[in-house]
Amino acid sequence: MIFEQIATGGCQSYLIGCTETHAAALIDPEVSQLDQYLALAARDGLHIRYLIDTHTHADHFSGTHTLAKRLHAPVVMHRNSPMPFVDMRLGDGEMLMLGRMRIEALHTPGHTRDSMCLRLEDRVFTGDTLLIGGTGRTDLPSGDPLALHDSLFNHLLKLDPALKIFPAHDYKGRKSSTIADELSSNPRLQYTDPAAFAELMNTLNLSMPTHITEALRVNMSGGKSVSQMLDEAAASVPFMSLAALKARVEQADTSLIVLDVRERDAYEAGHIPGARLLPRGQLELRVNQELPDPTRRILACCEIGKVSTLATATLREMGFAGAVALDGGMKAWREAGYPLKTGSEP
C-alpha cells in the first residue's frame, strides 16, 4: 500500500494507493491542499480514482467537488449524504475496488447522519466518528449522541483491536492510534452506558466551528467559499505594488485609471489622488458608462485588497484586458504615509 497522511491544521487527509496498479483514493481532502495532493499523487505515479468524504464536514471546506471536476473522478459518500453532486453512494458493508485492495464502508452515524468509516487492510479511517482520545461531537446538524454510542460500541469498537485508526481530525500532532489503545485510554469510551454517554455528549458545551454556516453551504451544495473565490481571482489577475502606483500618482500618469471600488463614505474619507469612485456593487451596471474604452489600463483598489481583486477579475472577464489590482489596499497605503485626498472629487 502507498500511504500519505496530509495535515492541514487539525484536519487530516489521506492518499492511499495500490502498489501494483497505482490506483488511488483520496479521503477527506481539504480545498486549500489540492495542489499538494496532486503533487504527491504524481510523485508516486498514482491515478486518483475516487474522492471520498467520510461525512458532511462543518468545520472546513471539502476539496472533493473541485477535484472531481479537475480529475473527472467520482465523489464517494454514504447513501445518506445530502450532497447533490455525489456520484457514488455507499451503503454499510459495501466496498470500493482500488486495484488489488478493497475499501469497506461502515455506516457509523452519530457525528452526522451520513458518517461512515472506511476499513482497509490493517487500518480504519474513522472520520469524525472516533478521534484519538475523543469522539466526534454530536451537536452539529444531524448529530445524535445515542446513534454515535451505537456506532462506536456495537460496531466500530468490535473490530479487531489491533486495527490502526486514522481520524479526520487531530489537533495535537498525533498521527494514528489503535482500537485497543482507544478502548483503554479514550475518556469518552469509558461511558459505556448509552444514557451516560448521551448526557456527556449533550453537556460538552463546545464552541461552534468558525465557518460553520459557510462550510455547510459550500460542502452541501458544491459551491465556493469566499476564500476559494479570492484565490481563484488572485490567480487570474496581475497586480501592481504600492510603490509603483505611488510613482505613477506623483508623475500624474494619465494612462492609468485608478478605480476605487469602496463605498462612497470610505472614498470621501480618503482616497488616492486622481482615483475615480465606482463601488463594487455597481460595477457591472455602470461599467459601460464609466469605462467606455476597454483598452484602457485600469487599476482597482479597495480597503484591504480583497474586493479589488474580485473586481479586477470581473473587469477582465468583461473584456478589460488591461485591468490590474493593487497589491495591498488603502489601509496599507495610509500606513505607508502615501498621499491622500478627501472629498468627493478625484
Side-chain angles (χ1 to χ4, degrees):
M1 181 194 306
I2 299 170
F3 176 77
E4 294 286 348
Q5 183 172 6
I6 306 98
T8 309
C11 301
Q12 303 291 327
S13 303
Y14 303 95
L15 178 64
I16 53 176
C18 173
T19 54
E20 294 185 46
T21 66
H22 284 219
L26 185 57
I27 300 171
D28 289 327
E30 207 275 343
V31 73
S32 68
Q33 295 279 19
L34 301 190
D35 289 335
Q36 169 81 339
Y37 303 137
L38 295 177
L40 289 171
R43 184 198 66 188
D44 294 331
L46 297 176
H47 175 231
I48 298 176
R49 293 187 55 190
Y50 301 109
L51 301 161
I52 309 172
D53 269 327
T54 55
H55 62 286
T56 301
H57 298 286
D59 56 353
H60 70 273
F61 301 101
S62 170
T64 53
H65 187 55
T66 302
L67 277 173
K69 291 188 290 186
R70 188 183 300 189
L71 299 176
H72 304 290
V75 174
V76 181
M77 294 190 71
H78 184 262
R79 290 188 186 280
N80 289 342
S81 169
M83 276 73 149
F85 54 83
V86 175
D87 301 294
M88 186 181 298
R89 297 176 182 271
L90 298 178
D92 185 60
E94 295 178 354
M95 294 187 296
L96 293 174
M97 306 297 186
L98 192 65
R100 303 288 182 260
M101 301 188 299
R102 303 291 183 266
I103 304 174
E104 181 183 4
L106 308 172
H107 187 210
T108 52
H111 174 62
T112 61
R113 196 167 70 93
D114 63 347
S115 288
M116 66 178 180
C117 297
L118 302 168
R119 182 175 179 176
L120 174 65
E121 297 182 357
D122 65 343
R123 62 199 65 197
V124 182
F125 300 95
T126 56
D128 277 11
T129 298
L130 178 61
L131 308 179
I132 301 173
T135 66
R137 60 197 296 169
T138 57
D139 58 342
L140 299 180
S142 81
D144 183 335
L146 289 176
L148 180 60
H149 181 277
D150 179 68
S151 294
L152 288 167
F153 289 96
N154 295 325
H155 298 278
L156 184 60
L157 297 176
K158 289 190 173 181
L159 298 177
D160 183 351
L163 285 174
K164 301 175 185 176
I165 71 160
F166 292 90
H169 292 91
D170 187 82
Y171 299 93
K172 297 182 179 180
R174 299 166 297 190
K175 293 185 176 296
S176 68
S177 181
T178 66
I179 289 179
D181 287 342
E182 294 308 306
L183 279 168
S184 65
S185 63
N186 190 319
R188 292 190 190 175
L189 299 187
Q190 309 315 307
Y191 290 79
T192 57
D193 177 71
F197 182 83
E199 182 180 4
L200 168 71
M201 299 304 295
N202 287 332
T203 56
L204 291 176
N205 295 320
L206 301 172
S207 59
M208 285 291 109
T210 305
H211 303 290
I212 180 172
T213 301
E214 186 181 18
L216 287 173
R217 172 184 63 78
V218 171
N219 293 336
M220 293 179 69
S221 68
K224 296 179 180 179
S225 66
V226 173
S227 177
Q228 188 176 0
M229 292 175 66
L230 284 167
D231 288 344
E232 291 178 359
S236 68
V237 304
F239 292 83
M240 181 180 292
S241 70
L242 292 169
L245 177 58
K246 175 176 177 288
R248 289 175 179 273
V249 169
E250 291 174 343
Q251 295 166 8
D253 184 355
T254 59
S255 68
L256 178 69
I257 297 175
V258 179
L259 199 67
D260 194 317
V261 296
R262 298 175 297 164
E263 296 300 316
R264 179 171 294 278
D265 57 348
Y267 174 86
E268 293 182 352
H271 56 267
I272 295 168
R276 302 183 190 180
L277 173 65
L278 181 53
R280 174 64 187 90
Q282 302 175 31
L283 181 63
E284 289 86 348
L285 298 177
R286 291 175 50 191
V287 69
N288 293 329
Q289 174 189 349
E290 300 289 338
L291 302 169
D293 183 358
T295 67
R296 292 293 301 274
R297 193 175 188 194
I298 302 164
L299 178 138
C301 64
C302 67
E303 183 61 22
I304 59 175
K306 294 183 177 181
V307 175
S308 57
T309 300
L310 293 170
T312 303
T314 298
L315 285 169
R316 293 176 74 86
E317 288 176 4
M318 297 177 72
F320 294 87
V324 301
L326 182 63
D327 183 16
M330 290 305 302
K331 182 175 184 294
W333 182 273
R334 290 192 300 269
E335 291 173 350
Y338 291 168
L340 288 169
K341 185 174 181 181
T342 59
S344 60
E345 297 298 319

